[in-house]
Amino acid sequence: MQEILQYLFSGITNGAIYAVIAIGFSMLYNSTELINFAHGEFVMLGSLCMVTFFGSMHLPLVPAIILTITCVALAGLVFERLAIRSVKHPEPIVLIIITVGASIFLRGIGMIIWGKDAYSIPSFSSHPPLDIAGAKLLSQSIWIIAIFLVAAVGLQLFYKKTLTGKAMEANAISKRAAWIVGIPSKLMVMMAFGLSTAMGGLAGVIIAPITMSSYDMGTMLGLKGFCAAMLGGLGSLWGALIGGFLLGILEALGVGFVSSGLKDATAFLLLLFILYVRPGGIISSADVNRF
Amino acid sequence: MLLVKRYRSMMMILSVLAIACLLVASPAISASGKKPYKIGGIFAVTGPASFLGDPEKKSMEMVVDQINAKGGIDGHMLEAVIYDTEGDPSKAVMGVSKLINKDNVIAIIGPSRTPTTLAVMPMIQKAKIPFISCAAGNKIVQPIDPWVFKTAQSDILAVAAIYENLKSKNIKKIGIISVNNAFGESGKEQLLSQAPAFGLAVSKSETYGAKDTDMTAQLTKIRQDNPEAIVCWGTNPGPAVLAKNIQQLGLDIPLYQSHGVASPKFIELAGSAAEGIMLPTGKILVAALLPDSDPQKEVLNAYTSEYEKKYKSSVSGFGGYAYDAVKILAAALKNSNGDKEKIREALENTNGYVGVSGIFNFSKTDHNGLSPEAFVMVKIQDSTWKLLQ
């Protein structure tokens, strides 16, 4: 029992991270039908900015987080403006190749700014781990889950209650119809980029204290986030959540009950299986009206 | 408008290309009366193994500069041609092929990792060119290839050093966790095969991914058998995450790490979780703590001060592999007139060379030439290294 609980805690912590990354993928896919393969690099940027602002400059926690997310979102906006919008024939394959190129470019930038070393920062608070029935829940895990909940609820409110959010949703459903009623689609796409990369930055922020941040950390995280998004159903907020947590928990249980050598394999096998049974993911966009 | 857009995208592509070009190291050029000796270097200067390749490249350049400043070897200046493998075997093969066919080097130093070294070895055998690897894997020199040497300590010796320490503490049952790449696999193999000889039982052998963010699941599994110690085999940053997880789970058993994390960076990454961790390391890390009677002390101090003066960054044991390799090669180049067979023979007859990584005695049957004394056990205490006797 104690073991299973410990596996679950480990899985939920990782799952929350995957979910935040997956939301970024989904959000962008929703507005632009584009898979941003540079998304993992924005997570890396978030993590390393956090190292600089919180770890080296010793800013207080909240300003450091806000500053980091702002920086990453700005980088996302610049990326959209320079590399995506300026494409003459924005066919999906061209854009995807551009994002792959951008990921290599961003990794290079990360290496030039922060060097090749890994960095670590202290946990957001120094509480001892919570002891629940013999299993330890780390204080940073609680931070991760709390920040994740705030972000998820915030996004939901933004999409459902604000005019801008509704406009973005409208633009996602039909660009042309949105344009006819006067929604500036370019601005909405740009905002989607900003929000998506901000979510990437947020993932980087919460992950920085539990793992080591380095310029090459983004690729694997991006891949896992992408899998989570696919698993849950690309384009759906709730799908991303379910996919992220499912992937995290399955990985942890895979380690516990199968083999740690097959950790990634267990999760990916299940992904294949689910996609075979439900090609659109657990919550496919046909079932829900996207966001 | 269209033109501007096209111009912009061209600029984007051009700037990406420009940066890509910058990342490729440019070789140094030397000038002297006699034709310079061209020696090749191939290291993982960027990429995941850059912590190895970067100091190796710098150390190689440093020794080459020093030798040239003293007038070269028999009047021949040394010219280093260095390529980046990015830790990737196919890029290593391309680099070595360029070194052999285009640059016509007379000897090659590197690569930094075992998989890249194993990938280029067939070409070395074919080209018959003296080759000194900086990678740790034992497979490089076993079986022996006449042209292949290596300066990095093998993991066999590191495992022996750890097990010796466990035995002295009368520990009988251990859990192992290793990274799932060539370094971890090779370490795991040694850990498992040498355990019986030291009276140790391995209760669980787990692995983790090099980029894993959390290892509590593996630790939970290891904990079930109540091992008396945990041995972790990996390179930064994974083992630092593991150390943190052990602290967070409140596991109160000794943790041993491999020589793969023997750098101040590990202490910085693991923070307070590093306290009490024991690991084997080359002597460079604890040079200041060694008794004056230690034969390597002088070399270690010289290397450390030269490196830190030149690059303004603290020295790691990894650069020492290339430092030793170039020095041994330079000694072998003397009176060789650039003849590859002569260089090879001189390398094989290297005896009693006191280097950064140990005292080298190459022979026909040993192309690594180090003994277990190349390692010392250290403990991390008050965020610094403490020598264990």
Side-chain angles (χ1 to χ4, degrees), chain A residues 83-105:
Chain A
I84 300 287
R85 202 190 292 182
S86 55
V87 178
K88 214 161 121 197
H89 302 292
E91 288 156 35
I93 186 73
V94 177
L95 294 178
I96 285 176
I97 301 281
I98 287 177
T99 65
V100 172
S103 83
I104 299 172
F105 179 76

Side-chain angles (χ1 to χ4, degrees), chain A residues 95-167:
Chain A
L95 294 178
I96 285 176
I97 301 281
I98 287 177
T99 65
V100 172
S103 83
I104 299 172
F105 179 76
L106 286 173
R107 223 168 18 246
I109 296 281
M111 189 178 81
I112 290 167
I113 299 179
W114 286 280
K116 296 167 201 154
D117 282 333
Y119 299 91
S120 99
I121 58 170
S123 191
F124 293 166
S125 61
S126 55
H127 295 295
L130 273 186
D131 199 312
I132 301 171
K136 298 277 199 300
L137 184 60
L138 315 180
S139 64
Q140 185 62 26
S141 299
I142 301 170
W143 273 103
I144 289 178
I145 294 161
I147 291 181
F148 162 76
L149 284 176
V150 171
V153 171
L155 272 182
Q156 185 69 10
L157 287 178
F158 172 71
Y159 275 108
K160 297 293 173 211
K161 303 284 177 200
T162 69
L163 194 58
T164 324
K166 282 180 181 166

Side-chain angles (χ1 to χ4, degrees), chain A:
Chain A
M1 185 58 208
Q2 179 199 350
E3 270 81 36
I4 295 177
L5 211 55
Q6 190 68 62
Y7 295 141
L8 275 181
F9 287 164
S10 167
I12 288 171
T13 311
N14 277 333
I17 295 163
Y18 297 156
V20 177
I21 302 172
I23 291 176
F25 270 110
S26 264
M27 206 149 47
L28 196 65
Y29 180 77
N30 229 347
S31 330
T32 59
E33 307 227 311
L34 169 66
I35 307 285
N36 177 12
F37 280 104
H39 193 64
E41 312 318 317
F42 288 100
V43 178
M44 174 271 289
L45 283 182
S47 199
L48 285 169
C49 283
M50 195 62 188
V51 165
T52 304
F53 295 136
F54 187 61
S56 329
M57 287 164 65
H58 301 291
L59 293 181
L61 184 63
V62 176
I65 294 181
I66 292 172
L67 200 56
T68 301
I69 293 177
T70 315
C71 284
V72 177
L74 276 179
L77 292 179
V78 171
F79 167 55
E80 194 270 344
R81 189 67 197 82
L82 293 184
I84 300 287
R85 202 190 292 182
S86 55
V87 178
K88 214 161 121 197
H89 302 292
E91 288 156 35
I93 186 73
V94 177
L95 294 178
I96 285 176
I97 301 281
I98 287 177
T99 65
V100 172
S103 83
I104 299 172
F105 179 76
L106 286 173
R107 223 168 18 246
I109 296 281
M111 189 178 81
I112 290 167
I113 299 179
W114 286 280
K116 296 167 201 154
D117 282 333
Y119 299 91
S120 99
I121 58 170
S123 191
F124 293 166
S125 61
S126 55
H127 295 295
L130 273 186
D131 199 312
I132 301 171
K136 298 277 199 300
L137 184 60
L138 315 180
S139 64
Q140 185 62 26
S141 299
I142 301 170
W143 273 103
I144 289 178
I145 294 161
I147 291 181
F148 162 76
L149 284 176
V150 171
V153 171
L155 272 182
Q156 185 69 10
L157 287 178
F158 172 71
Y159 275 108
K160 297 293 173 211
K161 303 284 177 200
T162 69
L163 194 58
T164 324
K166 282 180 181 166
M168 276 179 79
E169 201 177 358
N171 189 59
I173 293 167
S174 167
K175 248 185 210 155
R176 196 173 160 73
W179 176 72
I180 288 171
V181 296
I183 295 170
S185 93
K186 274 186 179 163
L187 185 70
M188 292 301 126
V189 168
M190 199 155 159
M191 279 191 65
F193 255 95
L195 264 179
S196 154
T197 49
M199 286 307 279
L202 179 69
V205 165
I206 56 178
I207 201 175
I210 62 162
T211 186
M212 308 295 154
S213 319
S214 63
Y215 77 98
D216 57 352
M217 70 190 286
T219 317
M220 196 61 193
L221 286 171
L223 209 60
K224 290 274 175 71
F226 176 63
C227 277
M230 288 294 288
L231 192 62
L234 206 53
S236 144
L237 176 67
W238 298 112
L241 300 192
I242 296 171
F245 281 105
L246 199 62
L247 189 65
I249 292 170
L250 279 172
E251 268 188 6
L253 292 179
V255 169
F257 298 110
V258 189
S259 149
S260 50
L262 295 173
K263 176 181 151 198
D264 293 339
T266 328
F268 288 127
L269 268 179
L270 194 105
L271 174 70
L272 282 180
F273 176 73
I274 290 184
L275 290 183
Y276 182 73
V277 181
R278 288 185 68 92
I282 296 171
I283 301 184
S284 59
S285 27
D287 295 346
V288 290
N289 253 334
R290 294 170 184 252
F291 272 81

Side-chain angles (χ1 to χ4, degrees), chain B residues 8-315:
Chain B
R8 273 187 193 151
S9 49
M10 273 298 283
M11 278 309 284
M12 270 293 288
I13 295 166
L14 279 179
S15 49
V16 170
L17 280 178
I19 285 166
C21 290
L22 280 177
L23 290 176
V24 179
S26 52
I29 312 272
S30 70
S32 81
K34 282 185 181 174
K35 224 177 114 207
Y37 285 146
K38 262 192 182 179
I39 57 173
I42 181 134
F43 305 114
V45 184
T46 57
S50 58
F51 68 97
L52 299 167
D54 186 55
E56 282 166 359
K57 169 176 175 271
K58 285 177 176 164
S59 299
M60 177 164 178
E61 285 168 346
M62 184 178 87
V63 190
V64 167
D65 286 350
Q66 281 170 3
I67 292 172
N68 286 341
K70 285 185 193 149
I73 296 164
D74 304 334
H76 296 272
M77 288 293 160
L78 278 186
E79 185 183 332
V81 186
I82 299 177
Y83 293 120
D84 183 6
T85 67
E86 298 169 35
D88 176 352
S90 59
K91 293 210 170 95
V93 168
M94 267 156 50
V96 167
S97 148
K98 255 203 278 187
L99 286 174
I100 295 173
N101 300 318
K102 187 177 139 252
D103 301 308
N104 291 316
V105 296
I106 55 170
I108 296 175
I109 289 170
S112 317
R113 313 175 88 182
T114 307
T116 43
T117 304
L118 293 176
V120 304
M121 274 171 56
M123 300 174 71
I124 302 293
Q125 285 150 8
K126 218 170 135 201
K128 297 200 187 314
I129 185 164
F131 174 78
I132 309 179
S133 167
C134 295
N138 199 47
K139 283 185 192 141
I140 298 163
V141 289
Q142 222 165 22
I144 288 217
D145 180 300
W147 297 92
V148 176
F149 298 83
K150 79 182 193 95
T151 49
Q153 303 101 330
S154 285
D155 30 24
I156 294 191
L157 306 177
V159 169
I162 291 179
Y163 279 1
E164 206 61 65
N165 188 284
L166 285 170
K167 202 180 163 189
S168 73
K169 290 193 175 141
N170 210 15
I171 285 173
K172 298 268 182 249
K173 191 159 118 189
I174 57 168
I176 296 174
I177 178 162
S178 58
V179 60
N180 62 357
N181 61 22
F183 180 78
E185 287 301 318
S186 166
K188 185 169 111 184
E189 214 177 287
Q190 284 303 320
L191 285 166
L192 291 174
S193 71
Q194 288 191 38
F198 290 87
L200 287 165
V202 178
S203 63
K204 279 251 162 54
S205 170
E206 296 296 317
T207 62
Y208 67 88
K211 294 268 158 240
D212 279 6
T213 48
D214 176 271
M215 291 153 208
T216 45
Q218 284 94 325
L219 285 169
T220 307
K221 204 171 171 189
I222 289 177
R223 183 171 66 178
Q224 289 168 358
D225 297 311
N226 298 315
E228 293 164 272
I230 296 178
V231 182
C232 167
W233 213 265
T235 48
N236 281 334
V241 177
L242 184 95
K244 280 188 170 182
N245 288 160
I246 287 187
Q247 190 190 37
Q248 287 153 347
L249 285 178
L251 282 180
D252 192 23
I253 50 178
L255 173 62
Y256 288 79
Q257 295 277 6
S258 75
H259 54 306
V261 298
S263 71
K265 193 76 207 170
F266 175 71
I267 300 184
E268 185 194 321
L269 289 178
S272 65
E275 289 298 306
I277 289 176
M278 282 161 281
L279 58 135
T281 166
K283 291 181 181 168
I284 179 108
L285 206 56
V286 286
L289 304 176
L290 291 173
D292 287 333
S293 58
D294 194 286
Q296 279 174 259
K297 184 148 183 162
E298 199 182 318
V299 181
L300 291 169
N301 283 342
Y303 173 58
T304 309
S305 63
E306 285 159 12
Y307 188 94
E308 285 176 354
K309 201 172 115 202
K310 187 161 167 130
Y311 296 110
K312 310 270 181 284
S313 66
S314 68
V315 76

